[in-house]
Amino acid sequence: MSKRSDLERSAREAMKNAYSPYSHFRVGAAILTEAGNIYTGCNVENISFGLTVCAERNAIGQAIVTEGPGMKLKAVVVTSHNDAGETGACSPCGACRQVLAEFSDRETTVQYPGADGPVETTTEKLLPDSFRF
Ligand code: THU
């Protein structure tokens, strides 16, 4: 089993636990760290909509909890479903791009469901020239 299919399966599994009663849009994220571990997250919404946390950021939080502040991302896979169980496009939001950039290098890959099928990209391409001190 390749790491990519492990990540896809893990993201789909995490997506089942999404708390999304407002958007009815489930998102799962699975990340592979440089240390070789996989962590997952799902979106967790709130009645105060702005407090919603995306799947990607929850997965990163899980990784930091276990690996500590040196955690680095190697690969990220995002999956999404609407209420009918159909895959919906889910390009990572701006907030998630910024948080992904924090823990990435130029080679960190990201796969997400685009309008015409899976999109393969990098965190660098998702947020070029990101802020650095
Ligand atoms: N969402 C994610 O989990 N990740 C993204 O990158 C984009 C959006 C979630 C947030 C919200 O629960 C739902 O998708 C609809 O916006």
Side-chain angles (χ1 to χ4, degrees):
M1 183 78 71
S2 74
K3 281 288 181 200
R4 175 53 53 88
S5 55
D6 283 352
L7 285 172
E8 287 173 1
R9 201 190 50 234
S10 300
R12 277 196 298 274
E13 197 59 34
M15 183 172 66
K16 290 183 191 161
N17 281 345
Y19 178 74
S20 53
Y22 306 108
S23 73
H24 305 284
F25 190 69
R26 294 170 180 274
V27 185
I31 62 181
L32 174 67
T33 64
E34 293 283 359
N37 301 314
I38 291 177
Y39 301 92
T40 60
C42 60
N43 51 333
V44 180
E45 299 187 345
N46 192 274
I47 195 163
S48 177
F49 297 161
L51 298 181
T52 291
V53 183
C54 294
E56 297 92 320
R57 278 176 285 147
N58 277 327
I60 287 170
Q62 288 294 315
I64 296 283
V65 167
T66 302
E67 293 190 11
M71 189 278 294
K72 284 285 171 210
L73 298 170
K74 194 169 167 61
V76 181
V77 169
V78 178
T79 59
S80 55
H81 266 179
N82 63 19
D83 248 5
E86 298 154 344
T87 300
C90 189
S91 174
C93 79
C96 286
R97 291 175 190 218
Q98 181 68 50
V99 175
L100 288 166
E102 183 86 11
F103 300 103
S104 293
D105 61 32
R106 299 179 89 83
E107 276 82 52
T108 304
T109 61
V110 182
Q111 178 188 299
Y112 64 86
D116 302 316
V119 175
E120 288 273 356
T121 186
T122 62
T123 48
E124 171 68 19
K125 286 186 182 138
L126 286 174
L127 192 67
D129 197 22
S130 64
F131 173 72
R132 295 273 184 271
F133 283 120

